[in-house]
Amino acid sequence: MKRIAVLASGSGTNLQALLDASCTGALNAEIAVVVSHRGDCGALPRALAAGVAAVSLPLADLRDPAVRAAYDRQLADILTVFAPDLIVLAGWMLILSPLFLDRFPGRIINVHPALLPDGVGAEVFTSQGTLPVLRGPRTVRDALRHGFPITGATVHYVTITVDTGPVILREEVPILAGDTEQTLHERIKRLEHRLLPRAVGMALAGVPGEEH
Ligand code: GRF
């Protein structure tokens, strides 16, 4: 059976969607390990409750390049012990360095709470016309602030330039009158929970291409 490693920083609902899909057989893969840089990350108890190895690996200093490089090396070493076929960033908030990405070429995917195009383009085609692309960590707030009619979720391969890798699955979410950041993010997450297990299955099957 294929093996997945999950990196998470948040409440872990996307991890839960993967654990559930693996448990029911909807996803034919085993979650081998979950790692977080935050000891209070909700994903870690979810992993333990499912009998999955949970590793808390705190980052001492986000800004010191030497500390950061050592962290990525250690993270890659830990993951390698679990021999993952695929690494899933499920709400992982640290940008991974090229030295980390080079250890797992074409085998890292990310879920992003907005619509992304394939590549570095600044616009994305949607059912409501062309919209500016929202990258970075505050896309739910940004979608509301720009007054977009829709936003969405994207699962994509991770490449050196953040939020630009080839798209595996993407789907739109309506923005409703009266939406707050919380209500909109909840709607996006419900979509993510559906998309992510499917995208993981596709990536494990090698769709699209392996060499990214
Ligand atoms: C998700 O919306 C993900 O797209 C974003 O952070 C959120 C994580 O949620 N990067 P959870 O921790 O999986 O509940």
Side-chain angles (χ1 to χ4, degrees), residues 11 22 31-32 49 53 75 82 86 95 111 124-125 166 182 195 199 203-204:
S11 62
S22 170
I31 295 155
L75 178 60
F82 291 88
L86 190 72
I95 294 174
V111 58
V124 60
F125 299 107
Q182 193 189 346
L195 287 189
L204 286 171

Side-chain angles (χ1 to χ4, degrees), residues 13-18 21 90 110-116 126-127 139-140 149-156 167-175 182-200 202:
T13 61
N14 278 288
L15 165 69
Q16 193 65 53
L18 292 172
N110 178 51
V111 58
H112 180 76
L115 297 170
L116 291 174
T126 78
S127 65
T139 56
V140 180
I150 55 153
T151 179
T154 306
V155 186
H156 64 96
V167 171
I168 303 168
L169 284 175
R170 169 180 57 208
E171 210 173 298
E172 296 178 359
V173 165
I175 298 180
Q182 193 189 346
T183 59
L184 179 56
H185 201 172
E186 276 165 13
R187 194 174 309 117
I188 292 171
K189 280 198 188 189
R190 281 198 295 277
L191 169 60
E192 291 181 336
H193 301 160
R194 217 164 25 78
L195 287 189
L196 188 58
R198 273 180 61 209
V200 166
M202 290 167 70

Side-chain angles (χ1 to χ4, degrees), residues 6-145:
V6 178
L7 306 188
S9 315
S11 62
T13 61
N14 278 288
L15 165 69
Q16 193 65 53
L18 292 172
L19 290 167
D20 293 348
S22 170
C23 185
T24 62
L27 175 63
N28 187 21
E30 170 194 355
I31 295 155
V33 62
V34 176
V35 183
S36 182
H37 60 98
R38 290 183 41 189
D40 62 347
C41 171
L44 295 177
R46 289 178 191 271
L48 291 175
V52 170
V55 179
S56 171
L57 188 65
L59 172 60
D61 186 344
L62 184 62
R63 287 171 214 291
D64 182 333
V67 172
R68 197 65 194 79
Y71 184 90
D72 275 15
R73 212 169 294 119
Q74 194 183 11
L75 178 60
D77 288 346
I78 289 171
L79 294 177
T80 301
V81 170
F82 291 88
D85 296 287
L86 190 72
I87 295 169
V88 181
L89 311 187
W92 174 256
M93 300 310 285
L94 296 179
I95 294 174
L96 295 165
S97 61
L99 82 86
F100 181 91
L101 302 184
D102 285 348
R103 294 275 295 268
F104 309 98
R107 287 194 286 142
I108 309 173
I109 70 171
N110 178 51
V111 58
H112 180 76
L115 297 170
L116 291 174
D118 271 304
V120 295
E123 295 183 324
V124 60
F125 299 107
T126 78
S127 65
Q128 307 296 308
T130 302
L131 292 174
V133 175
L134 302 178
R135 296 190 173 93
R138 276 175 285 279
T139 56
V140 180
R141 190 185 310 171
D142 292 345
L144 284 170
R145 198 163 44 85

